[in-house]
């Protein structure tokens, strides 16, 4: 049983690292090669994730979309191998929610903003699933789950939950950010022009994604000692 657990931990860790590397490299390369219609480079305070994957707009759209798709698939495998290392009954719903989150992120890469309605639906479920996942992680550590526990994971998990919840709550408020009143801003935010130099919907989206990636890296690293 101990040997089987080590093999599962090793596979989960390797798939997790591969997935994180795919997401990070895809994003970094796309950011470096991005140029908007006015010739400006990428600005995390002004541009959104969707714009990086916009075919016909971003030269490296295939890189970010491929990174989202294949990186998320690897992280799904990380979750599926980790779920067999059950140390607490709260681990099962946590990892199922994470699988749903990564499926949504993979769909956002498979269906870029050019496929508008499918892309916005994928983003919607990514943020909802991410909020649920981070909330379930807090339940997991409150129930004394130890497989994925560390102070770093607890801190980033709390911050991820707060940021995702904030994004979802603010997205349903009418702040005059879009032309269509009563719709969440993530359904129209890519098409909102002109924008201020610091545009809070894009900034908040990247804060959410950054914290989520830090939390995910922490979860993957937790299996390092068990490999």
């Amino acid at each position: 049983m101990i040997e089987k657990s080590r093999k599962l931990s090793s596979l989960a860790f390797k798939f997790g690292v591969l997935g994180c590397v795919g997401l990070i490299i895809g994003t970094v390369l796309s950011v470096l090669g991005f140029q908007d219609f006015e010739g400006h480079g990428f600005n995390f305070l002004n541009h959104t994730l969707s714009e990086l994957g916009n075919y016909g707009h971003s030269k490296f759209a295939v890189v970010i979309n491929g990174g989202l798709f294949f990186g998320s698939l690897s992280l799904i495998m990380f979750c599926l191998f980790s779920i067999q290392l059950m140390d607490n009954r709260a681990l099962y719903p946590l990892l199922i929610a994470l699988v749903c989150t990564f499926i949504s992120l993979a769909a956002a890469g498979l269906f870029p903003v050019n496929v508008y309605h499918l892309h916005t639906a994928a983003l919607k479920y990514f943020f909802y699933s991410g909020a649920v996942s981070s909330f379930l992680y807090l339940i997991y550590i409150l129930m004394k789950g130890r497989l994925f526990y560390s102070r770093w994971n607890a801190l980033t998990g709390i911050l991820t939950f707060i940021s995702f919840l904030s994004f979802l709550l603010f997205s349903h408020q009418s702040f005059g950010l879009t032309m269509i009143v009563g719709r969440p801003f993530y359904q129209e935010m890519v098409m909102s022009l002109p924008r201020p130099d610091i545009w809070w919907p894009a900034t908040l989206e990247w804060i959410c994604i950054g914290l989520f990636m830090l939390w995910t890296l922490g979860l993957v690293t937790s299996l390092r000692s068990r490999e």
Side-chain angles (χ1 to χ4, degrees):
M1 289 298 292
I2 294 176
E3 184 63 26
K4 180 181 178 181
S5 177
R6 287 178 178 172
K7 289 181 179 179
L8 289 171
S9 297
S10 178
L11 286 170
F13 176 74
K14 289 174 182 176
F15 273 110
V17 170
L18 182 62
C20 290
V21 168
L23 291 175
I24 293 171
I25 289 180
T27 303
V28 170
L29 291 177
S30 300
V31 166
L32 293 176
F34 181 85
Q35 191 175 66
D36 64 16
F37 292 120
E38 298 178 350
H40 300 140
F42 192 82
N43 182 355
F44 286 99
L45 303 178
N46 186 269
H47 297 111
T48 64
L49 174 69
S50 300
E51 288 170 289
L52 282 177
N54 188 348
Y55 291 108
H57 184 177
S58 174
K59 295 180 181 179
F60 289 87
V62 67
V63 177
I64 181 67
N65 291 329
L68 289 175
F69 182 72
F70 291 107
S72 296
L73 290 185
S74 292
L75 285 164
I76 289 171
M77 295 303 298
F78 158 76
C79 294
L80 294 179
F81 281 114
S82 296
I83 208 169
Q84 300 176 67
L85 301 169
M86 184 71 68
D87 72 322
N88 186 291
R89 60 183 179 180
L91 183 66
Y92 190 80
L94 164 62
L95 291 174
I96 291 298
L98 273 174
V99 166
C100 293
T101 305
F102 291 123
I103 288 175
S104 301
L105 194 58
L110 181 63
F111 305 110
V113 72
N114 305 80
V115 191
Y116 179 72
H117 295 291
L118 291 177
H119 180 75
T120 53
L123 281 182
K124 171 184 175 180
Y125 289 115
F126 167 69
F127 280 102
Y128 275 107
S129 299
V132 171
S133 298
S134 51
F135 176 74
L136 290 175
Y137 176 73
L138 302 181
I139 299 299
Y140 169 75
I141 59 176
L142 285 175
M143 293 182 65
K144 302 189 183 303
R146 287 292 174 262
L147 180 64
F148 290 118
Y149 173 76
S150 71
R151 291 182 179 178
W152 172 258
N153 290 349
L155 175 62
T156 54
I158 291 171
L159 293 176
T160 298
F161 174 67
I162 293 172
S163 65
F164 272 59
L165 185 63
S166 298
F167 185 93
L168 291 171
L169 290 175
F170 290 153
S171 71
H172 288 275
Q173 301 303 311
S174 179
F175 294 124
L177 292 168
T178 66
M179 298 297 293
I180 300 178
V181 178
R183 290 180 64 177
F185 68 63
Y186 53 73
Q187 293 188 6
E188 295 293 329
M189 60 190 295
V190 175
M191 308 174 75
S192 246
L193 293 170
R195 305 173 185 169
D197 292 334
I198 299 178
W199 192 46
W200 78 263
T203 303
L204 183 54
E205 182 189 46
W206 282 110
I207 289 173
C208 291
I209 293 171
L211 289 171
F212 178 74
M213 281 307 305
L214 288 175
W215 179 50
T216 300
L217 281 167
L219 296 181
V220 172
T221 305
S222 295
L223 296 183
R224 175 71 174 178
S225 60
R226 295 175 58 94
E227 185 184 0

